Amino acid sequence: MHIIRDFQYVTEADRGASAAIGNFDGVHLGHRSVIDIAREAGAAINAPLGILTFEPHPREYFAPDAPPFRLMGPEARAHRLEKLGVERLYEINFNAALSALTPAEFARKVISDGLGLRHVVVGADFCFGKGRAGNAGDLEAFGAEMGFGVTIARLLEGDAGQVSSTAIRRALSEGDPKRAASMLGHWHRIEGPVVGGEQRGRALGYPTANMSIAGLHPPRFGVYAVLVDILDGPHKGTYHGAASLGVRPMFDGEVANLETFIFDFSGDLYGTDLSVGLVEYLRPEETFDSLEIFIAQMDADCLRARQILAAL
């Protein structure tokens, strides 16, 4: 997959894709349905499959001090899109100049002249241009005028209603990763490098791989059964584990992170990239009267996590 970050400097080889447009936070089933339509449209005109998205997320750009809301960072999103067969990821820098484009200017300068897209697919609720003034119908009209095809995809409905990033965030906030997964089409994953910690877990017999969740929507704090993919290095592979997500109230923590104990594993993971999938919520964060009681609870958590993961 080739990543293109500037619509004004695009090689001829990277032009001419059939692209789905959106933010694709979480790359959920609704997003995948739009991507599949773009794939089919591209196959009909012999065009590569593309994604047109923006970084930073426009919501982050306009409200940088708002609470974190993203389900995944740009690296995790690119990783997921590549798995889906995306060949061109147009991850365009969202800045003052781009946000000032009118809908017609966006269609002309970005889609038509800049990226040379041959076909685009958007959801029925798509808005674009300065002040979100343009809608999917406007884009269809611009396509007819400027020479690119447009497909408007219907919004996907799941068993619990419309599939959306908002609904997925709600499920995660309620400690229901299975409901989130039913809309995502995969386990919700937190990806990133292993960072240094205070090594308390090692002293307790539970060494953990620590990861930051900065910038991401925080799922309900507590202990989870997890699937762990070590993405690089000599230990690359898939493992089972239990993870604590939160601020570690037993040790007066303040900054939320993810601490994962990987079952039956021994090795140095500092600096290694992990992808931790939340499978089932086991219990909330809590404090204990002694380290002995705390360790006994961790023993019970890991036993339950092993049982859950063995049944997958």
Side-chain angles (χ1 to χ4, degrees), residues 83-171:
K83 284 186 174 182
L84 295 177
V86 172
E87 299 166 83
R88 306 284 186 273
L89 175 54
Y90 304 103
E91 192 179 82
I92 303 304
N93 180 29
F94 193 86
N95 53 27
L98 187 67
S99 67
L101 295 178
T102 66
E105 289 171 336
F106 180 87
R108 174 72 68 187
K109 293 183 177 182
V110 179
I111 295 175
S112 179
D113 295 346
L115 303 178
L117 300 180
R118 296 175 61 192
H119 196 94
V120 297
V121 182
V122 297
D125 59 350
F126 178 71
C127 294
F128 67 107
K130 183 178 180 180
R132 295 170 55 85
N135 59 33
D138 295 326
L139 185 63
E140 199 169 35
F142 291 137
E145 174 189 339
M146 299 175 191
F148 57 86
V150 178
T151 299
I152 301 173
R154 66 177 181 84
L155 300 179
L156 186 67
E157 295 283 338
D159 292 339
Q162 189 181 115
V163 174
S164 69
S165 298
T166 299
I168 293 165
R169 284 191 287 270
R170 186 180 305 115

Side-chain angles (χ1 to χ4, degrees), residues 2 8 10 47 55 68 84 105 126 152 160 171 190 197 212 225 267 292:
H2 193 196
Q8 295 176 300
V10 182
E55 196 61 40
L84 295 177
E105 289 171 336
F126 178 71
I152 301 173
I190 296 172
S212 170
E292 290 75 17

Side-chain angles (χ1 to χ4, degrees), residues 1-307:
M1 183 176 73
H2 193 196
I3 300 179
I4 301 96
R5 293 189 169 89
D6 192 327
F7 68 89
Q8 295 176 300
Y9 301 96
V10 182
T11 67
E12 197 59 36
D14 287 329
R15 294 170 59 83
S18 172
I21 306 178
N23 291 307
F24 298 97
D25 187 26
V27 194
H28 56 60
L29 291 176
H31 295 145
R32 287 170 61 174
S33 69
V34 174
I35 292 168
D36 286 342
I37 293 170
R39 190 195 318 275
E40 293 171 6
I45 57 176
N46 195 29
L49 174 61
I51 294 292
L52 172 54
T53 190
F54 310 95
E55 196 61 40
H57 191 295
R59 183 169 159 185
E60 285 180 320
Y61 177 82
F62 288 115
D65 297 325
F69 67 92
R70 293 183 70 147
L71 294 169
M72 55 173 49
E75 295 83 5
R77 179 178 62 190
H79 185 232
R80 177 61 56 180
L81 291 171
E82 186 171 30
K83 284 186 174 182
L84 295 177
V86 172
E87 299 166 83
R88 306 284 186 273
L89 175 54
Y90 304 103
E91 192 179 82
I92 303 304
N93 180 29
F94 193 86
N95 53 27
L98 187 67
S99 67
L101 295 178
T102 66
E105 289 171 336
F106 180 87
R108 174 72 68 187
K109 293 183 177 182
V110 179
I111 295 175
S112 179
D113 295 346
L115 303 178
L117 300 180
R118 296 175 61 192
H119 196 94
V120 297
V121 182
V122 297
D125 59 350
F126 178 71
C127 294
F128 67 107
K130 183 178 180 180
R132 295 170 55 85
N135 59 33
D138 295 326
L139 185 63
E140 199 169 35
F142 291 137
E145 174 189 339
M146 299 175 191
F148 57 86
V150 178
T151 299
I152 301 173
R154 66 177 181 84
L155 300 179
L156 186 67
E157 295 283 338
D159 292 339
Q162 189 181 115
V163 174
S164 69
S165 298
T166 299
I168 293 165
R169 284 191 287 270
R170 186 180 305 115
L172 293 171
S173 295
E174 294 171 356
D176 195 347
K178 288 186 176 179
R179 179 156 55 94
S182 73
M183 293 181 278
L184 285 164
H186 54 84
W187 299 114
H188 174 65
R189 289 185 169 271
I190 296 172
E191 294 191 13
V194 176
V195 298
E198 297 176 355
Q199 299 192 344
R200 287 197 181 96
R202 187 177 302 277
L204 298 174
Y206 283 94
T208 58
N210 300 336
M211 299 164 64
S212 170
I213 63 167
L216 299 178
H217 169 78
R220 184 182 179 189
F221 286 175
V223 178
Y224 291 81
V226 297
L227 292 174
V228 184
D229 285 342
I230 299 177
L231 301 177
D232 53 23
H235 304 292
K236 183 177 181 179
T238 299
Y239 303 81
H240 291 178
S244 175
L245 177 65
V247 296
R248 306 173 304 285
M250 185 70 181
F251 302 105
D252 299 320
E254 296 180 356
V255 179
N257 70 354
L258 180 69
E259 299 184 351
T260 303
F261 174 64
I262 304 175
F263 299 153
D264 310 313
F265 176 83
S266 177
D268 183 1
L269 292 176
Y270 286 121
T272 302
D273 284 332
L274 299 191
S275 175
V276 179
L278 306 184
V279 175
E280 188 163 325
Y281 185 81
L282 303 181
R283 64 172 176 86
E285 284 194 305
E286 53 188 306
T287 57
F288 298 87
D289 292 335
S290 69
L291 287 179
E292 290 75 17
I293 297 174
F294 182 38
I295 292 171
Q297 181 60 61
M298 290 194 293
D299 291 342
D301 294 337
C302 288
L303 176 60
R304 186 177 171 201
R306 284 182 184 274
Q307 293 169 339

